[in-house]
Amino acid sequence: MSGQVMPCSPREIGSLFLFEKLSSDQLGRLCSEGRVELFEAGPVYTEGEAATCFYVMIEGTVVLSRRVGTDDVEVSRTSQRGVYAGAMQAYIGDRVPQVYNNSMRVTEPTRFFVLPADTFASIMQEWFPMAVHLLEGLFFGSKSLQRAIGQRERLLALGSLSAGLTHELNNPAAAAVRATATLRERVAKMRHKLSVISAGPYPREALASLIEIQERTAERVAKAPTLSPLEAADREDAVTDWLDDHGIAEGWRLAPTFVQAGLDLDWLDQIAAAVDEEILPGAIGWLNYTVETELLMDEIEDSTTRISRLVDAAKQYSQLDRAPYQNADVHELLDSTLLMLSGKTGSRIKVVKEYDRTLPKIPAYPAELNQVWTNLIDNAVCAINEAGGEGTLTVRTAQAGERLLVEFRDTGPGVPKEIRSRIFDPFFTTKPVGQGTGLGLDISWRIVVNKHHGSLQVESEPGDTRFQVLLPLTAAENDAPEEPA
């Protein structure tokens, strides 16, 4: 947008703090190569457009805003003379995209001193060469530092995840090893018991009946019901009494295994009716080994299934075998991240999932969204630990207009109001020294806002802090896949 061109007074622009140290010749050059423009209330330039001019306000009121998703968020409003905006990085040249990083509008008739971007760059390099070198070093140095610390933040998160994953894998792996060793022992005893029974003076029909009972017992173990502790204790007492009444030695040792396998007095009566009295103790002992082997195989299957689930979660989390940009199910991403972080949440933090499973898949960079979930869950866990280590983490999904909402709610002490506006700033952290770089939320912000054209916001009060991620349900027409940040 162009304004009304007005006369330029070297004396007037020299009264602005930005130019107050310039000589009269320098002020004269500014006026000859620049111009003063009067803008009526309305937009001056728009974020993302080519940065063609450097603006310094002489009088009036300006409002700067940033695009967040589909909304324009006001970041600054001022009437202070001399404030500047626009092509402030023109002196760097083509090494960075020369576009406006924000939008500017005026709320009343406002006069600006306007300098073309190429003129501004030439003047800076001619009048302040040392300052230009220092500013370039600061600009590119801070970007390099931010990238390096961002990489370290990722490595720290990866290290934490690796430790948690190792711990989670170790438990089922150790259980499977123990169960396998015990299973080998039980199978050996079962073979021995079978040889003893078969060597005895028992009719062929009795042995066939015993084999049939073994098959039915194995089937029953697979369908064992889950009993409450009280129900299990009562049934164990009844089974123990039955075994004692029928002359079975150490019935109290056998009863818990039978009850765990879902076997009851009716089953025991069927065995007693099917075999002779003299074979009953041996038959019960042999069937006990059968039950134990079935239970041990169930334990091995459960352990290996848990290992497989963890490996699948790790693949889902890392997205190593997936395209960087794809239509993704946020619930799969959330579940894999929660599973990867289960060692960190522990048993004292209750995790509640309030998912709207009817939500569609969304175009996204899944690996980077997983990093956002990791940062937000990690912050929630730290907040709950500050409040004593016990609390609830609620992960909720819902549709909010044309966007998908992912909300992380914790019962920690909350984010103080005085720092709430700064928590997304680079290097800002409330964690103790050595426990945070202050880049987790900054990285999350850039992934959500800049990469996915969504928004990230926080609502907080003691006992109820909510980080809300809003992501578009559909890709923008000009949204092309990029390389991961």
Side-chain angles (χ1 to χ4, degrees):
M1 177 179 175
S2 298
Q4 176 186 350
V5 178
M6 305 184 71
C8 178
S9 166
R11 181 175 181 181
E12 182 178 45
I13 64 171
S15 66
L16 304 175
F17 66 82
L18 196 62
F19 305 131
E20 61 185 2
K21 300 296 184 180
L22 298 182
S23 67
S24 58
D25 289 343
Q26 289 172 324
L27 293 173
R29 180 178 174 183
L30 287 179
C31 268
S32 65
E33 299 190 24
R35 62 189 182 272
V36 172
E37 290 189 43
L38 173 65
F39 289 82
E40 298 296 330
V44 177
Y45 62 76
T46 303
E47 181 178 349
E49 294 177 344
T52 59
C53 295
F54 177 67
Y55 295 85
V56 184
M57 189 183 75
I58 299 174
E59 61 178 353
T61 301
V62 299
V63 177
L64 297 180
S65 61
R66 291 291 305 271
R67 193 74 170 172
V68 179
T70 57
D71 303 320
D72 286 317
V73 179
E74 182 177 319
V75 295
S76 176
R77 180 186 293 257
T78 182
S79 298
Q80 181 183 353
R81 295 182 74 247
V83 294
Y84 50 90
M88 294 186 294
Q89 296 170 355
Y91 61 88
I92 298 177
D94 295 335
R95 285 175 289 176
V96 297
Q98 292 296 335
V99 296
Y100 293 120
N101 295 323
N102 50 41
S103 297
M104 184 168 71
R105 62 186 175 89
V106 295
T107 59
E108 60 178 329
T110 302
R111 283 193 306 134
F112 290 96
F113 172 69
V114 183
L115 197 60
D118 54 354
T119 303
F120 173 57
S122 299
I123 286 176
M124 284 289 292
Q125 292 163 2
E126 179 182 340
W127 291 354
F128 312 109
M130 182 176 178
V132 167
H133 286 306
L134 291 173
L135 288 171
E136 287 178 345
L138 179 63
F139 179 82
F140 290 110
S142 64
K143 281 192 171 295
S144 299
L145 179 62
Q146 193 171 24
R147 281 196 298 269
I149 297 184
Q151 183 67 17
R152 176 168 174 76
E153 182 85 9
R154 291 182 174 89
L155 290 173
L156 288 173
L158 180 60
S160 177
L161 286 171
S162 299
L165 181 61
T166 302
H167 174 76
E168 291 299 315
L169 284 170
N170 181 65
N171 290 336
V177 170
R178 288 194 303 268
T180 302
T182 307
L183 178 62
R184 180 177 289 108
E185 177 188 345
R186 294 297 185 272
V187 170
K189 289 183 177 180
M190 186 167 63
R191 288 197 302 265
H192 175 71
K193 182 68 71 174
L194 180 61
S195 66
V196 171
I197 293 176
S198 61
Y202 306 120
R204 182 186 185 95
E205 295 77 11
L207 293 177
S209 177
L210 192 58
I211 296 297
E212 181 189 359
I213 291 173
Q214 182 191 37
E215 294 297 328
R216 287 192 284 116
T217 300
E219 293 175 0
R220 190 156 184 170
V221 172
K223 302 175 182 178
T226 302
L227 302 176
S228 68
L230 185 59
E231 290 173 331
D234 290 342
R235 186 172 291 187
E236 286 177 16
D237 291 340
V239 170
T240 301
D241 292 341
W242 189 97
L243 294 173
D244 291 343
D245 292 342
H246 289 76
I248 310 298
E250 295 187 329
W252 60 274
R253 290 184 181 274
L254 305 179
T257 302
F258 287 161
V259 170
Q260 182 184 356
L263 309 180
D264 53 19
L265 298 184
D266 290 340
W267 176 79
L268 292 171
D269 288 337
Q270 291 176 30
I271 297 174
V275 300
D276 294 335
E277 185 176 350
E278 65 273 16
I279 200 178
L280 182 61
I284 292 293
W286 183 50
L287 292 175
N288 175 61
Y289 292 140
T290 299
V291 170
E292 286 187 333
T293 57
E294 288 295 322
L295 292 175
L296 287 167
M297 285 189 288
D298 286 344
E299 184 177 347
I300 292 172
E301 181 182 20
D302 178 66
S303 298
T304 53
T305 300
R306 286 172 58 196
I307 292 172
S308 179
R309 281 177 51 233
L310 284 165
V311 172
D312 286 343
K315 288 175 63 181
Q316 172 69 258
Y317 180 85
S318 64
Q319 296 285 311
L320 289 178
D321 57 347
R322 313 274 178 107
Y325 186 78
Q326 59 179 285
N327 286 325
D329 184 343
V330 294
H331 302 111
E332 292 181 358
L333 305 182
L334 290 167
D335 285 341
S336 67
T337 305
L338 286 168
L339 186 55
M340 293 287 286
L341 293 173
S342 57
K344 179 165 285 191
T345 55
S347 59
R348 300 181 66 190
I349 297 178
K350 180 181 179 182
V351 178
V352 178
K353 299 177 183 179
E354 297 180 358
Y355 291 169
D356 179 357
R357 294 284 186 178
T358 65
L359 292 171
K361 292 183 177 181
I362 62 171
Y365 295 88
E368 298 192 31
L369 286 183
N370 280 339
Q371 187 176 1
V372 175
W373 312 150
T374 300
N375 292 337
L376 297 181
I377 292 171
D378 182 65
N379 284 349
V381 170
C382 289
I384 293 173
N385 287 335
E386 287 179 18
E390 292 187 0
T392 301
L393 168 63
T394 303
V395 183
R396 181 171 72 93
T397 62
Q399 185 166 343
E402 296 300 315
R403 297 192 289 181
L404 184 148
L405 167 69
V406 182
E407 180 181 77
F408 299 85
R409 176 183 179 187
D410 68 71
T411 55
V415 181
K417 187 175 182 180
E418 59 270 17
I419 68 169
R420 208 169 297 165
S421 62
R422 301 171 55 203
I423 59 174
F424 297 109
D425 292 349
F427 309 111
F428 179 81
T429 181
T430 59
K431 295 178 182 177
V433 175
Q435 294 187 20
T437 61
L439 281 177
L441 288 179
D442 171 57
I443 290 172
S444 300
W445 171 275
R446 287 189 283 114
I447 291 173
V448 172
V449 177
N450 298 340
K451 201 78 178 275
H452 290 85
H453 311 298
S455 65
L456 175 58
Q457 56 200 39
V458 61
E459 297 177 0
S460 183
E461 59 184 46
D464 185 7
T465 296
R466 307 182 186 204
F467 280 89
Q468 298 172 330
V469 178
L470 288 158
L471 300 167
L473 292 173
T474 56
E477 291 183 5
N478 60 347
D479 195 16
E482 311 169 14
E483 288 301 313

